[in-house]
Amino acid sequence: RTRALVLGPAGVLHGGGGGGGGNGGGGGGGGGEKEGKQRAAAKEIPIPLASEVAFAHGADTWVRADTYYKHEPAMPADNELEYVLDPEAWLALRELNRSAAFSNCPIPEEAFELVIDQLDKHAARTDELPQLAHAVDTLAPRAGVSAEAVKAAYEHWLMRRTRDRRPLVLRLRPPPDADDPDPWVAFRPREPAGGRKKRSNNAASLSMMHQLRAEFERLCALMSTIR
């Protein structure tokens, strides 16, 4: 048998029986190359085109102003209610309303929030805890509740303020310490990059100093036994 050899368009010899396979392989190679170009084009970020404009509307009459508007977020007023009952306060209020003293006349949530809100703001404004008598005279008519209700809210607020050592109103709380190791503390203030780390006197630093002292004492005891 004789086998005919045909010179293809690209100058490649194809056998008479294997021409189809060769063309198929060539077609597959062309498809792969096209797909690779499409992938490369998809990765490239298109460059936006710009054109010069000889004249812009209003450019001839524009003058730089000497003043500008600066937006400053408005702080809530002292008489604006900011405190919202948290789970602990809600449970305390529920127990108060279930008690015999307030079962017939329960304390409204809005009144409980108002008393705590004003007590916190008074303490932040004057840097001292308000007296119970002054709180009753001022907040009882404003909240529309009895003196006993104001006293109950005052005792709850004073207990938490003394225990937690921080305001109940979130806006009045100072930012957390950047060195606080508590994983539940968020929104720590950022330290300037490249600056010297500020040392602070807090419970974590005191604990570390106690631990360092104990280690030095153990080291001195060990050295005395070797000597």
PDB file of all heavy atoms in Angstrom, residues 8-45:
ATOM      1  N   GLY A   8       0.228  20.665   3.917  1.00  0.00           N
ATOM      2  CA  GLY A   8      -0.880  21.517   4.359  1.00  0.00           C
ATOM      3  C   GLY A   8      -0.572  22.990   4.213  1.00  0.00           C
ATOM      4  O   GLY A   8       0.524  23.383   3.795  1.00  0.00           O
ATOM      5  N   PRO A   9      -1.536  23.855   4.559  1.00  0.00           N
ATOM      6  CA  PRO A   9      -1.359  25.306   4.406  1.00  0.00           C
ATOM      7  C   PRO A   9      -0.245  25.834   5.282  1.00  0.00           C
ATOM      8  O   PRO A   9       0.393  26.822   4.964  1.00  0.00           O
ATOM      9  CB  PRO A   9      -2.703  25.891   4.838  1.00  0.00           C
ATOM     10  CG  PRO A   9      -3.669  24.759   4.810  1.00  0.00           C
ATOM     11  CD  PRO A   9      -2.888  23.515   4.998  1.00  0.00           C
ATOM     12  N   ALA A  10      -0.020  25.224   6.412  1.00  0.00           N
ATOM     13  CA  ALA A  10       1.020  25.712   7.323  1.00  0.00           C
ATOM     14  C   ALA A  10       2.368  25.086   7.027  1.00  0.00           C
ATOM     15  O   ALA A  10       3.305  25.269   7.795  1.00  0.00           O
ATOM     16  CB  ALA A  10       0.612  25.430   8.773  1.00  0.00           C
ATOM     17  N   GLY A  11       2.472  24.337   5.928  1.00  0.00           N
ATOM     18  CA  GLY A  11       3.742  23.729   5.599  1.00  0.00           C
ATOM     19  C   GLY A  11       4.019  22.463   6.374  1.00  0.00           C
ATOM     20  O   GLY A  11       5.164  22.085   6.531  1.00  0.00           O
ATOM     21  N   VAL A  12       2.979  21.773   6.860  1.00  0.00           N
ATOM     22  CA  VAL A  12       3.128  20.552   7.628  1.00  0.00           C
ATOM     23  C   VAL A  12       2.633  19.399   6.788  1.00  0.00           C
ATOM     24  O   VAL A  12       1.584  19.499   6.154  1.00  0.00           O
ATOM     25  CB  VAL A  12       2.350  20.625   8.947  1.00  0.00           C
ATOM     26  CG1 VAL A  12       2.531  19.351   9.754  1.00  0.00           C
ATOM     27  CG2 VAL A  12       2.794  21.845   9.750  1.00  0.00           C
ATOM     28  N   LEU A  13       3.385  18.336   6.832  1.00  0.00           N
ATOM     29  CA  LEU A  13       2.981  17.161   6.079  1.00  0.00           C
ATOM     30  C   LEU A  13       1.938  16.400   6.853  1.00  0.00           C
ATOM     31  O   LEU A  13       2.119  16.099   8.032  1.00  0.00           O
ATOM     32  CB  LEU A  13       4.207  16.263   5.803  1.00  0.00           C
ATOM     33  CG  LEU A  13       5.256  16.853   4.849  1.00  0.00           C
ATOM     34  CD1 LEU A  13       6.457  15.923   4.770  1.00  0.00           C
ATOM     35  CD2 LEU A  13       4.638  17.053   3.472  1.00  0.00           C
ATOM     36  N   HIS A  14       0.842  16.094   6.226  1.00  0.00           N
ATOM     37  CA  HIS A  14      -0.233  15.323   6.839  1.00  0.00           C
ATOM     38  C   HIS A  14      -0.404  14.044   6.046  1.00  0.00           C
ATOM     39  O   HIS A  14      -0.384  14.056   4.812  1.00  0.00           O
ATOM     40  CB  HIS A  14      -1.559  16.096   6.840  1.00  0.00           C
ATOM     41  CG  HIS A  14      -1.487  17.404   7.597  1.00  0.00           C
ATOM     42  ND1 HIS A  14      -1.514  17.480   8.949  1.00  0.00           N
ATOM     43  CD2 HIS A  14      -1.374  18.681   7.137  1.00  0.00           C
ATOM     44  CE1 HIS A  14      -1.431  18.744   9.332  1.00  0.00           C
ATOM     45  NE2 HIS A  14      -1.346  19.494   8.228  1.00  0.00           N
ATOM     46  N   GLY A  15      -0.597  12.961   6.776  1.00  0.00           N
ATOM     47  CA  GLY A  15      -0.866  11.707   6.113  1.00  0.00           C
ATOM     48  C   GLY A  15      -2.303  11.658   5.637  1.00  0.00           C
ATOM     49  O   GLY A  15      -3.175  12.341   6.152  1.00  0.00           O
ATOM     50  N   GLY A  16      -2.505  10.826   4.638  1.00  0.00           N
ATOM     51  CA  GLY A  16      -3.849  10.718   4.103  1.00  0.00           C
ATOM     52  C   GLY A  16      -4.822  10.202   5.110  1.00  0.00           C
ATOM     53  O   GLY A  16      -5.964  10.608   5.156  1.00  0.00           O
ATOM     54  N   GLY A  17      -4.396   9.252   5.972  1.00  0.00           N
ATOM     55  CA  GLY A  17      -5.321   8.698   6.940  1.00  0.00           C
ATOM     56  C   GLY A  17      -5.424   9.513   8.206  1.00  0.00           C
ATOM     57  O   GLY A  17      -6.385   9.405   8.932  1.00  0.00           O
ATOM     58  N   GLY A  18      -4.421  10.320   8.513  1.00  0.00           N
ATOM     59  CA  GLY A  18      -4.421  11.039   9.788  1.00  0.00           C
ATOM     60  C   GLY A  18      -4.704  12.494   9.671  1.00  0.00           C
ATOM     61  O   GLY A  18      -4.381  13.263  10.570  1.00  0.00           O
ATOM     62  N   GLY A  19      -5.256  12.914   8.528  1.00  0.00           N
ATOM     63  CA  GLY A  19      -5.520  14.337   8.350  1.00  0.00           C
ATOM     64  C   GLY A  19      -6.541  14.880   9.315  1.00  0.00           C
ATOM     65  O   GLY A  19      -6.428  15.972   9.827  1.00  0.00           O
ATOM     66  N   GLY A  20      -7.582  14.071   9.563  1.00  0.00           N
ATOM     67  CA  GLY A  20      -8.643  14.556  10.470  1.00  0.00           C
ATOM     68  C   GLY A  20      -8.137  14.801  11.863  1.00  0.00           C
ATOM     69  O   GLY A  20      -8.452  15.782  12.508  1.00  0.00           O
ATOM     70  N   GLY A  21      -7.276  13.831  12.323  1.00  0.00           N
ATOM     71  CA  GLY A  21      -6.739  13.996  13.681  1.00  0.00           C
ATOM     72  C   GLY A  21      -5.868  15.215  13.788  1.00  0.00           C
ATOM     73  O   GLY A  21      -5.875  15.940  14.777  1.00  0.00           O
ATOM     74  N   GLY A  22      -5.054  15.480  12.739  1.00  0.00           N
ATOM     75  CA  GLY A  22      -4.188  16.648  12.764  1.00  0.00           C
ATOM     76  C   GLY A  22      -4.984  17.929  12.801  1.00  0.00           C
ATOM     77  O   GLY A  22      -4.697  18.863  13.547  1.00  0.00           O
ATOM     78  N   ASN A  23      -6.011  18.011  11.971  1.00  0.00           N
ATOM     79  CA  ASN A  23      -6.832  19.218  11.958  1.00  0.00           C
ATOM     80  C   ASN A  23      -7.549  19.406  13.282  1.00  0.00           C
ATOM     81  O   ASN A  23      -7.714  20.513  13.783  1.00  0.00           O
ATOM     82  CB  ASN A  23      -7.852  19.137  10.809  1.00  0.00           C
ATOM     83  CG  ASN A  23      -7.166  19.222   9.453  1.00  0.00           C
ATOM     84  OD1 ASN A  23      -6.061  19.769   9.361  1.00  0.00           O
ATOM     85  ND2 ASN A  23      -7.785  18.667   8.428  1.00  0.00           N
ATOM     86  N   GLY A  24      -7.997  18.282  13.862  1.00  0.00           N
ATOM     87  CA  GLY A  24      -8.690  18.368  15.162  1.00  0.00           C
ATOM     88  C   GLY A  24      -7.772  18.880  16.237  1.00  0.00           C
ATOM     89  O   GLY A  24      -8.137  19.696  17.076  1.00  0.00           O
ATOM     90  N   GLY A  25      -6.494  18.359  16.208  1.00  0.00           N
ATOM     91  CA  GLY A  25      -5.535  18.838  17.204  1.00  0.00           C
ATOM     92  C   GLY A  25      -5.251  20.306  17.016  1.00  0.00           C
ATOM     93  O   GLY A  25      -5.110  21.064  17.973  1.00  0.00           O
ATOM     94  N   GLY A  26      -5.151  20.739  15.741  1.00  0.00           N
ATOM     95  CA  GLY A  26      -4.915  22.153  15.485  1.00  0.00           C
ATOM     96  C   GLY A  26      -6.053  23.007  15.982  1.00  0.00           C
ATOM     97  O   GLY A  26      -5.864  24.071  16.552  1.00  0.00           O
ATOM     98  N   GLY A  27      -7.282  22.499  15.791  1.00  0.00           N
ATOM     99  CA  GLY A  27      -8.442  23.249  16.277  1.00  0.00           C
ATOM    100  C   GLY A  27      -8.446  23.359  17.779  1.00  0.00           C
ATOM    101  O   GLY A  27      -8.762  24.384  18.363  1.00  0.00           O
ATOM    102  N   GLY A  28      -8.034  22.239  18.461  1.00  0.00           N
ATOM    103  CA  GLY A  28      -7.977  22.273  19.922  1.00  0.00           C
ATOM    104  C   GLY A  28      -6.943  23.256  20.418  1.00  0.00           C
ATOM    105  O   GLY A  28      -7.134  23.979  21.384  1.00  0.00           O
ATOM    106  N   GLY A  29      -5.779  23.300  19.685  1.00  0.00           N
ATOM    107  CA  GLY A  29      -4.745  24.244  20.087  1.00  0.00           C
ATOM    108  C   GLY A  29      -5.203  25.677  19.926  1.00  0.00           C
ATOM    109  O   GLY A  29      -4.940  26.543  20.765  1.00  0.00           O
ATOM    110  N   GLY A  30      -5.930  25.961  18.848  1.00  0.00           N
ATOM    111  CA  GLY A  30      -6.444  27.317  18.646  1.00  0.00           C
ATOM    112  C   GLY A  30      -7.438  27.716  19.713  1.00  0.00           C
ATOM    113  O   GLY A  30      -7.442  28.842  20.209  1.00  0.00           O
ATOM    114  N   GLY A  31      -8.301  26.746  20.123  1.00  0.00           N
ATOM    115  CA  GLY A  31      -9.266  27.056  21.176  1.00  0.00           C
ATOM    116  C   GLY A  31      -8.605  27.337  22.511  1.00  0.00           C
ATOM    117  O   GLY A  31      -9.003  28.236  23.248  1.00  0.00           O
ATOM    118  N   GLY A  32      -7.543  26.553  22.827  1.00  0.00           N
ATOM    119  CA  GLY A  32      -6.829  26.786  24.085  1.00  0.00           C
ATOM    120  C   GLY A  32      -6.142  28.134  24.103  1.00  0.00           C
ATOM    121  O   GLY A  32      -6.099  28.823  25.124  1.00  0.00           O
ATOM    122  N   GLU A  33      -5.564  28.528  22.967  1.00  0.00           N
ATOM    123  CA  GLU A  33      -4.895  29.830  22.902  1.00  0.00           C
ATOM    124  C   GLU A  33      -5.889  30.978  23.077  1.00  0.00           C
ATOM    125  O   GLU A  33      -5.623  31.963  23.768  1.00  0.00           O
ATOM    126  CB  GLU A  33      -4.178  29.935  21.553  1.00  0.00           C
ATOM    127  CG  GLU A  33      -3.363  31.220  21.397  1.00  0.00           C
ATOM    128  CD  GLU A  33      -2.659  31.271  20.066  1.00  0.00           C
ATOM    129  OE1 GLU A  33      -2.746  30.267  19.319  1.00  0.00           O
ATOM    130  OE2 GLU A  33      -2.039  32.303  19.771  1.00  0.00           O
ATOM    131  N   LYS A  34      -7.057  30.822  22.451  1.00  0.00           N
ATOM    132  CA  LYS A  34      -8.090  31.857  22.571  1.00  0.00           C
ATOM    133  C   LYS A  34      -8.581  31.972  24.004  1.00  0.00           C
ATOM    134  O   LYS A  34      -8.779  33.071  24.535  1.00  0.00           O
ATOM    135  CB  LYS A  34      -9.245  31.515  21.632  1.00  0.00           C
ATOM    136  CG  LYS A  34     -10.349  32.558  21.640  1.00  0.00           C
ATOM    137  CD  LYS A  34     -11.444  32.173  20.655  1.00  0.00           C
ATOM    138  CE  LYS A  34     -12.555  33.209  20.663  1.00  0.00           C
ATOM    139  NZ  LYS A  34     -13.643  32.835  19.741  1.00  0.00           N
ATOM    140  N   GLU A  35      -8.741  30.816  24.667  1.00  0.00           N
ATOM    141  CA  GLU A  35      -9.195  30.823  26.058  1.00  0.00           C
ATOM    142  C   GLU A  35      -8.153  31.462  26.970  1.00  0.00           C
ATOM    143  O   GLU A  35      -8.478  32.195  27.905  1.00  0.00           O
ATOM    144  CB  GLU A  35      -9.474  29.382  26.497  1.00  0.00           C
ATOM    145  CG  GLU A  35     -10.287  29.277  27.775  1.00  0.00           C
ATOM    146  CD  GLU A  35     -10.649  27.827  28.053  1.00  0.00           C
ATOM    147  OE1 GLU A  35     -10.866  27.070  27.100  1.00  0.00           O
ATOM    148  OE2 GLU A  35     -10.711  27.488  29.236  1.00  0.00           O
ATOM    149  N   GLY A  36      -6.848  31.205  26.697  1.00  0.00           N
ATOM    150  CA  GLY A  36      -5.799  31.821  27.502  1.00  0.00           C
ATOM    151  C   GLY A  36      -5.780  33.328  27.348  1.00  0.00           C
ATOM    152  O   GLY A  36      -5.562  34.065  28.312  1.00  0.00           O
ATOM    153  N   LYS A  37      -6.017  33.825  26.130  1.00  0.00           N
ATOM    154  CA  LYS A  37      -6.079  35.268  25.906  1.00  0.00           C
ATOM    155  C   LYS A  37      -7.256  35.891  26.644  1.00  0.00           C
ATOM    156  O   LYS A  37      -7.165  36.996  27.183  1.00  0.00           O
ATOM    157  CB  LYS A  37      -6.179  35.559  24.410  1.00  0.00           C
ATOM    158  CG  LYS A  37      -4.899  35.282  23.642  1.00  0.00           C
ATOM    159  CD  LYS A  37      -5.062  35.630  22.177  1.00  0.00           C
ATOM    160  CE  LYS A  37      -3.772  35.364  21.402  1.00  0.00           C
ATOM    161  NZ  LYS A  37      -3.920  35.707  19.967  1.00  0.00           N
ATOM    162  N   GLN A  38      -8.382  35.197  26.674  1.00  0.00           N
ATOM    163  CA  GLN A  38      -9.547  35.712  27.387  1.00  0.00           C
ATOM    164  C   GLN A  38      -9.280  35.800  28.885  1.00  0.00           C
ATOM    165  O   GLN A  38      -9.662  36.763  29.545  1.00  0.00           O
ATOM    166  CB  GLN A  38     -10.759  34.822  27.118  1.00  0.00           C
ATOM    167  CG  GLN A  38     -11.303  34.928  25.708  1.00  0.00           C
ATOM    168  CD  GLN A  38     -12.466  34.001  25.471  1.00  0.00           C
ATOM    169  OE1 GLN A  38     -12.785  33.153  26.318  1.00  0.00           O
ATOM    170  NE2 GLN A  38     -13.106  34.136  24.311  1.00  0.00           N
ATOM    171  N   ARG A  39      -8.582  34.781  29.432  1.00  0.00           N
ATOM    172  CA  ARG A  39      -8.256  34.820  30.863  1.00  0.00           C
ATOM    173  C   ARG A  39      -7.307  35.984  31.165  1.00  0.00           C
ATOM    174  O   ARG A  39      -7.435  36.678  32.166  1.00  0.00           O
ATOM    175  CB  ARG A  39      -7.596  33.509  31.275  1.00  0.00           C
ATOM    176  CG  ARG A  39      -8.552  32.343  31.355  1.00  0.00           C
ATOM    177  CD  ARG A  39      -7.955  31.229  32.185  1.00  0.00           C
ATOM    178  NE  ARG A  39      -8.738  30.015  32.033  1.00  0.00           N
ATOM    179  CZ  ARG A  39      -8.278  28.883  31.531  1.00  0.00           C
ATOM    180  NH1 ARG A  39      -7.023  28.801  31.120  1.00  0.00           N
ATOM    181  NH2 ARG A  39      -9.045  27.821  31.435  1.00  0.00           N
ATOM    182  N   ALA A  40      -6.318  36.190  30.309  1.00  0.00           N
ATOM    183  CA  ALA A  40      -5.372  37.285  30.514  1.00  0.00           C
ATOM    184  C   ALA A  40      -6.065  38.639  30.415  1.00  0.00           C
ATOM    185  O   ALA A  40      -5.776  39.561  31.181  1.00  0.00           O
ATOM    186  CB  ALA A  40      -4.241  37.192  29.497  1.00  0.00           C
ATOM    187  N   ALA A  41      -7.006  38.762  29.481  1.00  0.00           N
ATOM    188  CA  ALA A  41      -7.729  40.021  29.334  1.00  0.00           C
ATOM    189  C   ALA A  41      -8.624  40.283  30.546  1.00  0.00           C
ATOM    190  O   ALA A  41      -8.833  41.426  30.950  1.00  0.00           O
ATOM    191  CB  ALA A  41      -8.560  40.011  28.052  1.00  0.00           C
ATOM    192  N   ALA A  42      -9.161  39.206  31.135  1.00  0.00           N
ATOM    193  CA  ALA A  42     -10.031  39.383  32.302  1.00  0.00           C
ATOM    194  C   ALA A  42      -9.244  39.851  33.520  1.00  0.00           C
ATOM    195  O   ALA A  42      -9.778  40.535  34.392  1.00  0.00           O
ATOM    196  CB  ALA A  42     -10.760  38.077  32.609  1.00  0.00           C
ATOM    197  N   LYS A  43      -7.950  39.494  33.617  1.00  0.00           N
ATOM    198  CA  LYS A  43      -7.133  39.902  34.752  1.00  0.00           C
ATOM    199  C   LYS A  43      -6.668  41.342  34.646  1.00  0.00           C
ATOM    200  O   LYS A  43      -6.322  41.961  35.647  1.00  0.00           O
ATOM    201  CB  LYS A  43      -5.922  38.981  34.879  1.00  0.00           C
ATOM    202  CG  LYS A  43      -6.272  37.555  35.281  1.00  0.00           C
ATOM    203  CD  LYS A  43      -5.021  36.709  35.394  1.00  0.00           C
ATOM    204  CE  LYS A  43      -5.360  35.287  35.786  1.00  0.00           C
ATOM    205  NZ  LYS A  43      -4.148  34.431  35.873  1.00  0.00           N
ATOM    206  N   GLU A  44      -6.603  41.902  33.450  1.00  0.00           N
ATOM    207  CA  GLU A  44      -6.122  43.258  33.266  1.00  0.00           C
ATOM    208  C   GLU A  44      -7.196  44.266  33.670  1.00  0.00           C
ATOM    209  O   GLU A  44      -8.371  44.105  33.344  1.00  0.00           O
ATOM    210  CB  GLU A  44      -5.730  43.483  31.804  1.00  0.00           C
ATOM    211  CG  GLU A  44      -4.520  42.668  31.366  1.00  0.00           C
ATOM    212  CD  GLU A  44      -4.159  42.945  29.925  1.00  0.00           C
ATOM    213  OE1 GLU A  44      -4.875  43.740  29.297  1.00  0.00           O
ATOM    214  OE2 GLU A  44      -3.187  42.356  29.439  1.00  0.00           O
ATOM    215  N   ILE A  45      -6.767  45.286  34.393  1.00  0.00           N
ATOM    216  CA  ILE A  45      -7.686  46.355  34.787  1.00  0.00           C
ATOM    217  C   ILE A  45      -7.738  47.376  33.667  1.00  0.00           C
ATOM    218  O   ILE A  45      -6.693  47.914  33.270  1.00  0.00           O
ATOM    219  CB  ILE A  45      -7.228  47.020  36.097  1.00  0.00           C
ATOM    220  CG1 ILE A  45      -7.161  45.975  37.210  1.00  0.00           C
ATOM    221  CG2 ILE A  45      -8.136  48.162  36.485  1.00  0.00           C
ATOM    222  CD1 ILE A  45      -6.631  46.516  38.518  1.00  0.00           C
TER     223      ILE A  45
END
